[in-house]
Amino acid sequence: MKVRKAVIPAAGLGTRMLPATKTVPKEMLPLVDKPALQYIIEEAAAAGIEDILVVTNRAKSAMDDYFDYYPELETRLNQAGKDRELAEVRRAADLANIFYVRQKETRGLGHAIWRAKRFVGDEPFAVLLGDDIMRAEKPVTAQLIEAAERYNASAVGVQQVATAAISKYCSVKVEPLEERVFRVSDVVEKPRLEQIFSNYAILGRYVLTSGIFDILENLKPGYGGEIQLTDGLGLLCKQEEMVAVDFEGKRYDTGNLKGFLEATIDFSLEHPETGEWLKRFIQEKAQEL
Ligand code: G1P
């Protein structure tokens, strides 16, 4: 099993980040000096993914412009001797082969993934959700690919979440296989208390076999009246082997304001241009509060 392709669903309406996302796709909001989507594409590229499909909608053309060359700007930066900026602008366009397809109708995550059927063909593929930005020594997608290859199975990235919060995610039925790896036998989207299988929830990273497409094609709407990827996974894990990897790394939910600010502060503290300055600024601020 070799995973070379990834799918990034980015066709949501961004309703948790309004009014900013009324005209700017939420995937293009900057986390320090790069759009959120770039972190996701960098993670996929670092995990050895060569071809990426972004599932978009009609309001998101800023995304494909960003990952393209921009000759006028590049010439100007070159003439001005702004070598670092020039290199950064070029690098974003050279991270991977990026393809786009429109979802056309907002019918849920499962439907967005189903739009990747032609692009994926018969290969296993990774899915990276744009709201979930990871900080990890080894890219979380690479951790999943390793497990998927070892077990010749689909693999989902999980971490434990508090019982009070799990209804925002999904809950996975797990049996231990080895340290940090479990066999998955069921999964439920946005569970009510009495439906919880475990505190392990899938957090935005998946490696799936192409078997998911036939399932998604025939899936009835689930939670919220949408075609849910999780419902598809619940069926896939009964047909084929699926493992869950309790991945190493910190996850930021940048689809809501608090998670977005957390990521902004942490990434700014690590950034060579802003780190030292922000540390002093926070210390001064803390004394005032
Ligand atoms: C989606 C998935 C859910 C997952 C969550 C976090 O939910 O449907 O299973 O746990 O992402 O990655 P959403 O955040 O779109 O409500």
Side-chain angles (χ1 to χ4, degrees):
M1 184 189 239
K2 174 98 185 81
V3 184
R4 298 181 310 114
K5 293 181 178 173
V7 177
I8 301 176
L13 296 175
T15 50
R16 292 190 295 164
M17 293 287 274
L18 283 168
T21 48
K22 186 177 168 190
T23 54
V24 178
K26 68 173 171 177
E27 295 79 7
M28 293 306 292
L29 294 178
L31 284 167
V32 194
D33 54 359
K34 290 187 290 195
L37 182 58
Q38 186 166 345
Y39 292 86
I40 302 285
I41 290 184
E42 284 174 354
E43 178 187 325
I49 299 290
E50 296 158 13
D51 296 337
I52 297 175
L53 179 74
V54 184
V55 184
T56 70
N57 66 26
R58 69 184 70 78
K60 306 255 179 157
S61 44
M63 295 192 303
D64 27 327
D65 290 342
Y66 182 85
F67 293 99
D68 191 5
Y69 291 150
Y70 189 170
E72 282 158 272
L73 174 66
E74 289 168 23
T75 307
R76 187 66 68 85
L77 291 173
N78 194 19
Q79 284 164 352
K82 297 199 165 190
D83 297 341
R84 192 188 62 78
E85 288 82 352
L86 177 61
E88 282 297 321
V89 162
R90 277 304 269 215
R91 195 175 71 82
D94 287 333
L95 283 168
N97 303 314
I98 306 179
F99 302 79
Y100 301 88
V101 66
R102 287 194 178 183
Q103 189 181 4
K104 295 202 272 192
E105 302 167 277
T106 307
R107 291 181 57 198
L109 179 59
H111 179 259
I113 299 300
W114 172 76
R115 293 287 289 144
K117 181 178 171 164
R118 289 286 181 115
F119 167 81
V120 166
D122 284 337
E123 297 184 37
F125 64 106
V127 174
L128 295 87
L129 302 191
D131 283 346
D132 297 292
I133 294 197
M134 308 292 183
R135 277 309 219 212
E137 236 165 75
K138 177 186 258 184
V140 176
T141 298
Q143 297 178 40
L144 294 194
I145 290 176
E146 244 182 50
E149 288 179 350
R150 201 165 51 228
Y151 287 91
N152 199 23
S154 294
V156 292
V158 298
Q159 281 188 339
Q160 299 215 42
V161 303
T163 305
I166 202 150
S167 63
K168 288 194 288 183
Y169 302 98
C170 59
S171 170
V172 187
K173 193 170 184 180
V174 290
E175 296 157 44
L177 284 170
E178 58 172 296
E179 209 188 331
R180 308 191 83 102
V181 183
F182 304 86
R183 171 172 292 121
V184 176
S185 57
D186 210 344
V187 48
V188 54
E189 179 71 7
K190 307 283 188 282
R192 295 188 302 274
L193 262 186
E194 68 276 13
Q195 292 177 307
I196 295 173
F197 292 126
S198 76
N199 283 64
Y200 285 104
I202 305 175
L203 299 177
R205 295 294 181 274
Y206 313 75
V207 170
L208 304 175
T209 65
S210 58
I212 193 71
F213 292 114
D214 283 347
I215 292 175
L216 291 175
E217 205 156 311
N218 298 306
L219 207 58
K220 299 257 173 342
Y223 181 85
E226 298 194 329
I227 309 282
Q228 294 291 348
L229 177 62
T230 305
D231 294 346
L233 299 179
L235 296 173
L236 188 67
C237 72
K238 291 178 188 100
Q239 289 176 11
E240 297 176 8
E241 192 81 353
M242 182 181 293
V243 297
V245 179
D246 181 2
F247 62 82
E248 291 183 66
K250 178 163 170 53
R251 169 234 182 208
Y252 297 88
D253 178 5
T254 60
N256 75 70
L257 198 52
K258 285 181 187 153
F260 187 87
L261 290 176
E262 236 180 77
T264 302
I265 293 170
D266 276 0
F267 297 179
S268 305
L269 284 168
E270 288 167 18
H271 195 289
E273 266 177 53
T274 53
E276 282 309 312
W277 165 82
L278 184 61
K279 214 179 284 171
R280 280 198 305 277
F281 179 78
I282 291 174
Q283 280 160 352
E284 282 166 25
K285 263 285 167 238
Q287 310 222 311
E288 284 171 27
L289 297 173

